[in-house]
């Protein structure tokens, strides 16, 4: 959920993950939130609308955390499958697996 810190009001509920969410991170520009989950996926959300923009699929075990590049153009996911994946935030495509 996205909460307004001043009022305590729930602004959005990000529905979509099928298991516990393990991490959430705002993009540096504040327009998106990325979430990591025990459903082996990460998701990219629009902060203003609450819409899921992309579901990042490819990890074989829990996704533990996510982070944005400084320009908000890429997202990295880290999984218990011993890999990290770099994703394009605009297209949702995996650019590289480490």
């Amino acid at each position: 959920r996205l909460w307004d810190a001043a009022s305590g009001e729930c602004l959005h509920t990000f529905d979509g993950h099928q298991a516990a969410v393990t991490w959430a991170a705002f993009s540096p520009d504040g327009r998106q939130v990325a979430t990591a989950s025990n459903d082996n996926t990460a998701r990219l959300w629009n902060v203003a609308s609450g819409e899921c923009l992309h579901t990042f699929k490819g990890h074989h075990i829990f996704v533990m955390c996510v982070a944005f590049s400084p320009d908000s153009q890429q997202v990295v996911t880290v999984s218990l499958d011993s890999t990290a994946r770099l994703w394009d935030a605009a297209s949702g495509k995996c650019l590289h697996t480490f």
Side-chain angles (χ1 to χ4, degrees), residues 29-74:
D29 64 14
R31 296 185 310 171
Q32 299 171 330
V33 169
T35 55
S37 174
N38 285 351
D39 66 5
N40 305 349
T41 71
R43 289 180 181 247
L44 186 64
W45 307 88
N46 179 292
V47 169
S49 68
E51 173 189 10
C52 180
L53 303 172
H54 300 294
T55 300
F56 302 128
K57 296 179 181 179
H59 288 292
H60 303 291
I61 304 177
F62 304 155
V63 180
M64 298 309 297
C65 64
V66 293
F68 282 89
S69 62
D71 63 3
S72 301
Q73 298 301 304
Q74 298 173 331

